[in-house]
Amino acid sequence: MKFKLPKTSAVLVKGKSFKLADVDPSSEKPFAHHPHNREDATPRLLKLRQRLFELQEVLYAEHKRSLLLVFQAMDTGGKDGAIGNLLTGVNPAGVSVASFKAPSPEELSHDFLWRIHAQTPKRGHIGVFNRSHYEDVLVTRVHEIIDDQTAEQRFEDINNFESLLTRNGTRILKFFLHISKEEQAARLQARLDDPAKNWKFDPNDLKERARWDDYQAVYEDALRHCSPAHAPWFVIPANQKWARDLAIAEIVVATLEDMNPQSPKATFDVKAQVIEQ
Amino acid sequence: MKFKLPKTSAVLVKGKSFKLADVDPSSEKPFAHHPHNREDATPRLLKLRQRLFELQEVLYAEHKRSLLLVFQAMDTGGKDGAIGNLLTGVNPAGVSVASFKAPSPEELSHDFLWRIHAQTPKRGHIGVFNRSHYEDVLVTRVHEIIDDQTAEQRFEDINNFESLLTRNGTRILKFFLHISKEEQAARLQARLDDPAKNWKFDPNDLKERARWDDYQAVYEDALRHCSPAHAPWFVIPANQKWARDLAIAEIVVATLEDMNPQSPKATFDVKAQVIEQ
């Protein structure tokens, strides 16, 4: 079975007029022609995951191109969950997940793309960035580590870098998991209420939460400047986890279908081979 | 449910008297007390995989220790299949698979463990080596790139290196997938007979096959010298893929049970946290 990308409430960012506030984080309509509830979504998701397993096997065998998935979100936005739910079931031998934390002194003594470039996926692999080079035009702007002029230059650097990857066989998809401020409050509270989840809570997250509007503004600016056709941003309504996961799976599988990887052919004379016992 | 390691036909290598020829590659008794057929093995394997998924989640959350799985085998021995079958279903965000091919000029201009060290698993991760530093005492010996004295030194280097990793929180398990020469012939022939598998065949593999006995001898020597209690080699009968996969899953899951990872506790005052709306 081949999958094409259906009409979706996930929003493809196109151009400078894009407004984050226009996307409803609570949308439960990942796709216009599908039933809009979790129960009916499950069988669809299972089929998509089976197809993702198959496509990744061929991408790996082909060994020519790669797929890079970038995940960004506000704290509690669901990056870990979305990545796990998408890729659990795919052969980890063909997947590399890079999590970018605050840069080390060594990393800071290079340009901001140096550590990112080192983690781009090999041919045949699906690479995942849990946070990414976009942090360098997000948290750095909110905390005024860089000014607007530097941000503009970095947008250009990022677009050039993503062009380089694309020209060398890496297909790029970028997902902003879009939650509401109320949903974040509920998820933070859940981490406090459940002792088993306490370790996921970081008191510093509350300071960042206080800058919510600033973050939304710099996200919107980054998405507007860095969503060319070859490396698009998708804004994924993410208050509902099942709708989020379904939207991402649809986009990833449809993209791999479009890449249409092929198993390699033999480059030697098959009939001439004799296996001695 | 917790799993303990049952009595198994997989052989733990202990000391200098170990003989590879004593292990039957066709054994279909991965565990003495289990039914010895594929059908009855399947439900057991599914339970082990579910438990592996759970244990890896906690290992990742704990973020203190790691597990390193080393896979070696003769060509067609089933490394890719065994790794895929063990780890498909585990969250790839906590798994890193490194495949070691012939070293690059850059890698060759360093000591033989340099490129290996760079790929050891992070805290919280399961790391997998598809081929490993053991190639440097296997293929290099068969092709007389190193002499016996250098091999002896490398055994010591390897033991010291694996001690270092162990002392720093990495648990090490090493698997030699043991197939017979007849089974290799059948698997190579299958790659020639099925056009979809042609690309997996490499005519150079036939040259290595001609050195079968030499390879068995250097494998035996490496296993004898480098199987301390903290980084043991297991010889896995691997002619039967289902028995191979079951034996590996039993050993890996029992080892993780023994490691007994724990979710971290909160390091802040939970009740003092207030989430502003």
Side-chain angles (χ1 to χ4, degrees):
Chain A
M1 178 163 35
K2 290 210 172 189
F3 289 89
K4 288 192 177 176
L5 188 60
K7 196 164 156 47
T8 163
S9 68
V11 172
L12 171 64
V13 178
K14 283 185 190 168
K16 303 283 187 284
S17 62
F18 167 76
K19 284 200 178 67
L20 201 46
D22 289 345
V23 185
D24 175 12
S26 291
S27 168
E28 292 197 0
K29 298 178 183 173
F31 299 99
H33 67 284
H34 277 289
H36 305 147
N37 61 70
R38 185 196 312 253
E39 288 66 34
D40 295 335
T42 302
R44 174 81 180 166
L45 199 49
L46 291 177
K47 275 185 199 164
L48 285 163
R49 285 184 189 157
Q50 176 58 32
R51 185 66 186 142
L52 179 58
F53 170 86
E54 295 163 2
L55 284 162
Q56 188 268 346
E57 292 246 303
V58 189
L59 185 77
Y60 188 83
E62 182 191 71
H63 198 67
K64 283 189 181 167
R65 294 170 294 169
S66 59
L67 176 63
L68 173 60
L69 310 176
V70 174
F71 287 83
Q72 288 284 159
M74 299 292 286
D75 292 323
T76 78
K79 296 186 301 299
D80 291 323
I83 293 167
N85 290 345
L86 179 71
L87 291 168
T88 301
V90 171
N91 188 340
V95 179
S96 54
V97 181
S99 292
F100 294 99
K101 318 274 182 193
S104 69
E106 169 77 1
E107 289 169 345
L108 282 173
S109 60
H110 294 271
D111 71 84
F112 77 102
L113 292 172
W114 180 79
R115 67 174 185 154
I116 308 295
H117 210 154
Q119 302 273 7
T120 49
K122 298 180 205 189
R123 298 186 199 288
H125 276 234
I126 297 176
V128 179
F129 286 176
N130 185 337
R131 303 185 188 271
S132 67
H133 42 305
Y134 285 92
E135 291 293 332
D136 294 291
V137 290
L138 295 168
V139 63
T140 50
R141 283 187 96 182
V142 169
H143 291 277
E144 294 176 14
I145 297 164
I146 64 167
D147 59 19
D148 287 351
Q149 195 193 343
T150 305
E152 293 276 346
Q153 290 169 349
R154 287 191 176 183
F155 293 151
E156 204 176 309
D157 295 331
I158 287 173
N159 287 336
N160 292 341
F161 172 64
E162 293 181 358
S163 285
L164 168 76
L165 299 183
T166 304
R167 286 176 184 144
N168 286 275
T170 300
R171 187 83 165 247
I172 303 174
L173 296 171
K174 298 175 293 196
F175 300 106
F176 175 62
L177 310 183
H178 186 40
I179 57 168
S180 63
K181 196 174 179 189
E182 295 71 30
E183 179 67 16
Q184 189 190 56
R187 293 185 184 183
L188 287 170
Q189 194 62 53
R191 290 180 179 183
L192 291 174
D193 294 345
D194 180 353
K197 288 185 181 172
N198 282 175
W199 65 274
K200 294 184 181 180
F201 186 92
D202 180 348
N204 287 319
D205 292 349
L206 297 182
K207 291 179 199 157
E208 301 303 312
R209 173 172 169 76
R211 310 292 298 271
W212 182 275
D213 293 341
D214 296 335
Y215 271 103
Q216 297 287 305
V218 294
Y219 260 115
E220 186 172 85
D221 204 35
L223 269 51
R224 284 178 175 181
H225 282 86
C226 301
S227 190
H230 62 267
W233 271 106
F234 290 90
V235 178
I236 308 287
N239 278 3
Q240 291 295 338
K241 294 174 184 173
W242 67 266
R244 171 198 77 193
D245 291 344
L246 183 56
I248 295 167
E250 294 278 5
I251 294 165
V252 169
V253 172
T255 301
L256 279 165
E257 296 281 15
D258 183 59
M259 290 172 74
N260 193 22
Q262 303 292 324
S263 281
K265 302 263 179 280
T267 53
F268 55 90
D269 183 354
V270 173
K271 289 186 180 159
Q273 307 302 317
V274 179
I275 300 164
E276 309 284 348
Q277 289 301 315
Chain B
M1 174 158 43
K2 292 210 172 189
F3 290 89
K4 288 191 177 177
L5 187 60
K7 194 163 156 50
T8 163
S9 68
V11 172
L12 171 64
V13 178
K14 282 183 190 168
K16 303 284 188 283
S17 61
F18 167 78
K19 285 200 178 68
L20 201 46
D22 289 345
V23 185
D24 176 10
S26 291
S27 169
E28 293 198 0
K29 299 178 182 174
F31 298 99
H33 68 284
H34 277 288
H36 306 146
N37 62 71
R38 185 197 311 254
E39 288 66 33
D40 295 336
T42 302
R44 173 80 182 167
L45 198 49
L46 291 177
K47 276 185 199 165
L48 286 163
R49 285 184 190 157
Q50 175 58 31
R51 185 66 187 143
L52 179 58
F53 170 86
E54 295 162 2
L55 285 161
Q56 187 268 345
E57 292 246 302
V58 189
L59 185 77
Y60 188 83
E62 182 191 73
H63 198 68
K64 283 188 181 166
R65 294 170 293 169
S66 59
L67 176 63
L68 173 60
L69 310 175
V70 174
F71 287 83
Q72 288 283 160
M74 299 292 286
D75 291 323
T76 77
K79 296 186 302 300
D80 291 323
I83 294 167
N85 290 345
L86 179 71
L87 292 167
T88 301
V90 171
N91 188 339
V95 179
S96 54
V97 181
S99 292
F100 294 100
K101 318 275 182 192
S104 70
E106 169 77 2
E107 289 168 345
L108 282 173
S109 60
H110 294 270
D111 71 83
F112 78 102
L113 292 173
W114 180 79
R115 65 174 187 153
I116 308 295
H117 210 155
Q119 301 273 9
T120 49
K122 298 180 205 190
R123 296 185 199 290
H125 277 233
I126 297 175
V128 179
F129 286 175
N130 185 338
R131 303 185 188 272
S132 67
H133 42 304
Y134 285 92
E135 291 293 333
D136 294 291
V137 289
L138 295 168
V139 63
T140 50
R141 283 187 95 182
V142 169
H143 290 277
E144 294 176 15
I145 296 163
I146 65 168
D147 60 18
D148 287 350
Q149 195 192 345
T150 304
E152 293 276 347
Q153 290 169 351
R154 288 192 175 182
F155 292 151
E156 203 176 310
D157 295 332
I158 287 173
N159 287 336
N160 292 342
F161 172 64
E162 293 181 359
S163 285
L164 167 76
L165 299 183
T166 305
R167 286 175 184 144
N168 285 275
T170 299
R171 187 83 165 248
I172 303 173
L173 296 172
K174 298 175 292 194
F175 300 106
F176 175 62
L177 310 184
H178 186 39
I179 58 168
S180 62
K181 196 174 178 188
E182 296 71 32
E183 179 66 16
Q184 188 190 57
R187 292 185 185 183
L188 287 170
Q189 193 63 53
R191 290 181 180 183
L192 290 174
D193 293 345
D194 181 353
K197 287 186 180 171
N198 282 174
W199 65 274
K200 294 184 180 179
F201 187 93
D202 180 349
N204 287 319
D205 291 350
L206 297 182
K207 291 179 200 158
E208 302 303 312
R209 174 171 167 77
R211 310 291 299 271
W212 181 274
D213 293 340
D214 296 335
Y215 271 103
Q216 297 286 305
V218 294
Y219 259 114
E220 186 171 85
D221 203 35
L223 269 51
R224 285 177 174 182
H225 281 86
C226 300
S227 191
H230 62 267
W233 271 106
F234 292 90
V235 178
I236 308 287
N239 277 2
Q240 290 296 339
K241 294 174 185 174
W242 68 266
R244 171 198 77 193
D245 291 344
L246 184 56
I248 295 167
E250 294 278 6
I251 294 165
V252 170
V253 171
T255 301
L256 279 164
E257 296 281 15
D258 183 60
M259 290 172 75
N260 194 20
Q262 302 293 321
S263 281
K265 303 262 179 280
T267 53
F268 56 90
D269 183 354
V270 173
K271 288 185 181 158
Q273 307 301 318
V274 178
I275 299 164
E276 309 285 349
Q277 290 301 316

